[in-house]
Amino acid sequence: MIGRLRAVTIDCPDPGALADFYSELLGLPVTRRDHDWAGIGDGTWPVIDFQRVDDHRAPAWPDPERPQQMHFEIVVADIDAAHERVLALGARPLAVSEENPDNMYRVYADPAGHPFCLEFTA
């Protein structure tokens, strides 16, 4: 091993707002908040940080000219309930893949445009 992952950092226009979104989505408290930086975590590594980028260009998945850059895959027990909750938090749906019962997921964009997946089983 060369090192340990301390954080995943996501560029965005509003770090506090995106930290609030992922705090609700993942059940992790906001542990840091200032004008240019915010973070969430459970007190251990890794954490998820959000940094302000004033000229941020949101991904436009699946457009290769503005690729997703990163994404979270989040397992949920009840896809319909999770769907309603992420929409209420400000996510928007991008795609649905429910044909293969071994690989069912829905793709959403977070409020800053980064794609994330909710994975589930039937």
Side-chain angles (χ1 to χ4, degrees):
M1 177 174 76
I2 294 172
R4 281 182 59 212
L5 179 64
R6 187 199 67 75
V8 174
T9 303
I10 301 172
D11 292 351
C12 61
D14 185 342
L18 205 55
D20 291 339
F21 174 85
Y22 279 103
S23 174
E24 287 293 321
L25 179 62
L26 300 173
L28 296 170
V30 176
T31 56
R32 179 178 175 190
R33 182 188 303 271
D34 62 43
H35 177 72
D36 291 324
W37 201 271
I40 64 173
D42 64 2
T44 63
W45 287 358
V47 299
I48 303 169
D49 288 330
F50 308 91
Q51 73 179 0
R52 180 177 309 280
V53 174
D54 291 328
D55 60 350
H56 179 260
R57 288 188 62 207
W61 181 88
D63 181 354
E65 291 298 315
R66 291 176 45 202
Q68 66 183 340
Q69 303 162 9
M70 56 73 65
H71 73 277
F72 290 105
E73 296 183 11
I74 301 159
V75 176
V76 299
D78 182 338
I79 186 61
D80 293 323
H83 172 85
E84 293 304 320
R85 290 190 66 197
V86 298
L87 293 181
L89 290 172
R92 62 185 166 82
L94 296 177
V96 173
S97 178
E98 298 180 354
E99 298 79 34
N100 179 349
D102 295 325
N103 187 26
M104 294 175 43
Y105 59 92
R106 296 182 187 176
V107 183
Y108 299 83
D110 70 21
H114 304 103
F116 67 94
C117 298
L118 297 181
E119 297 179 357
F120 62 101
T121 57

